[in-house]
Amino acid sequence: KAGVTQTPRYLIKTRGQQVTLSCSPISGHRSVSWYQQTPGQGLQFLFEYFSETQRNKGNFPGRFSGRQFSNSRSEMNVSTLELGDSALYLCASSLKEGEDYGYTFGSGTRLTVV
Amino acid sequence: AQTVTQSQPEMSVQEAETVTLSCTYDTSESNYYLFWYKQPPSRQMILVIRQEAYKQQNATENRFSVNFQKAAKSFSLKISDSQLGDTAMYFCASQTSYDKVIFGPGTSLSVIP
């Protein structure tokens, strides 16, 4: 079966711009989580969506937002980009039903803010 | 709040040897899950092994096994017969029911030919 698909793989944006990242989970997975990965801070949780509802939220400013569509695809938006937003953004999907825990990750989107 | 600690930022092992990566965690929940994830230089994060806290038996997946010490809140990963393809960042992680997965800072493992 197809894995988690993240697009685009690479992005270069200018400070002050906004960006939208996309994630298509594994078919049948209703939970989508987003993480920011940087060398200094490691993997930091952004938010989780389950059946179109935000269920968990990390400690990021309001410039970071997301949504999930009825087909479970998710988008993440960052407005007014700052240099510090440069990172690898990882999306992970999960079945989150019964005892099936653990994520399947996408390949990530490498965002560079200049 | 959950926390995950990995005290070894970098490790190396000779090919075909065995290596153990350490992880400690803290949670107030009684039901939780523990994971080891591998992130090779290609950056795709892959689930290596999963342990459910209520199961006493240590999980194994081929050359990968864990030593789960619940009372000590320790969850180490043992890689047997190390291969060059095992070179990667390894992240220990924990998750309680319906909560987010919390990752440790990672251990960079290099397998030396």
Side-chain angles (χ1 to χ4, degrees):
Chain A
K1 57 182 177 183
V4 178
T5 303
Q6 288 189 249
T7 56
R9 291 211 67 187
Y10 300 92
L11 266 179
I12 300 176
K13 289 287 188 179
T14 303
R15 194 169 46 182
Q17 286 186 312
Q18 77 162 16
V19 67
T20 299
L21 313 182
S22 178
C23 172
S24 293
I26 288 175
S27 178
H29 284 195
R30 294 191 289 162
S31 169
V32 174
S33 298
W34 290 88
Y35 285 80
Q36 181 195 65
Q37 186 178 22
T38 59
Q41 299 295 318
L43 282 149
Q44 292 193 287
F45 175 77
L46 282 154
F47 26 68
E48 179 200 0
Y49 286 87
F50 185 85
S51 293
E52 301 180 65
T53 301
Q54 187 180 83
R55 187 154 70 177
N56 286 299
K57 188 177 189 304
N59 189 26
F60 277 80
R63 301 185 296 106
F64 291 80
S65 63
R67 59 178 175 169
Q68 188 179 32
F69 301 95
S70 59
N71 62 357
S72 292
R73 189 177 72 85
S74 177
E75 287 182 348
M76 189 193 106
N77 186 76
V78 187
S79 62
T80 319
L81 283 165
E82 300 178 359
L83 297 179
D85 297 333
S86 294
L88 179 65
Y89 290 88
L90 292 170
C91 166
S93 80
S94 163
L95 195 55
K96 276 265 179 94
E97 290 178 1
E99 297 183 345
D100 188 356
Y101 284 83
Y103 290 152
T104 301
F105 281 89
S107 297
T109 294
R110 171 75 65 188
L111 172 65
T112 303
V113 182
V114 298
Chain B
Q2 299 176 79
T3 59
V4 178
T5 303
Q6 294 176 253
S7 59
Q8 306 149 314
E10 295 182 4
M11 293 189 73
S12 62
V13 62
Q14 291 290 137
E15 195 175 4
E17 295 294 306
T18 295
V19 64
T20 299
L21 310 183
S22 300
C23 171
T24 58
Y25 63 93
D26 193 19
T27 178
S28 57
E29 300 289 329
S30 58
N31 188 28
Y32 54 91
Y33 301 81
L34 298 168
F35 312 93
W36 278 97
Y37 284 89
K38 168 186 174 181
Q39 188 178 37
S42 65
R43 86 189 188 198
Q44 178 96 41
M45 190 88 78
I46 303 163
L47 177 64
V48 174
I49 200 164
R50 169 173 53 209
Q51 174 80 41
E52 295 164 61
Y54 64 87
K55 289 188 176 178
Q56 300 279 358
Q57 189 173 5
N58 288 326
T60 62
E61 286 288 342
N62 301 312
R63 298 182 295 108
F64 298 87
S65 62
V66 298
N67 183 6
F68 175 43
Q69 300 290 325
K70 192 171 184 177
K73 294 186 177 177
S74 170
F75 184 63
S76 60
L77 175 70
K78 185 171 82 171
I79 307 174
S80 304
D81 185 26
S82 297
Q83 300 175 1
L84 296 179
D86 296 333
T87 292
M89 280 290 289
Y90 287 82
F91 294 94
C92 179
S94 74
Q95 182 180 26
T96 57
S97 300
Y98 300 109
D99 203 352
K100 57 187 176 288
V101 176
I102 300 297
F103 290 86
T107 296
S108 177
L109 177 68
S110 297
V111 179
I112 302 165

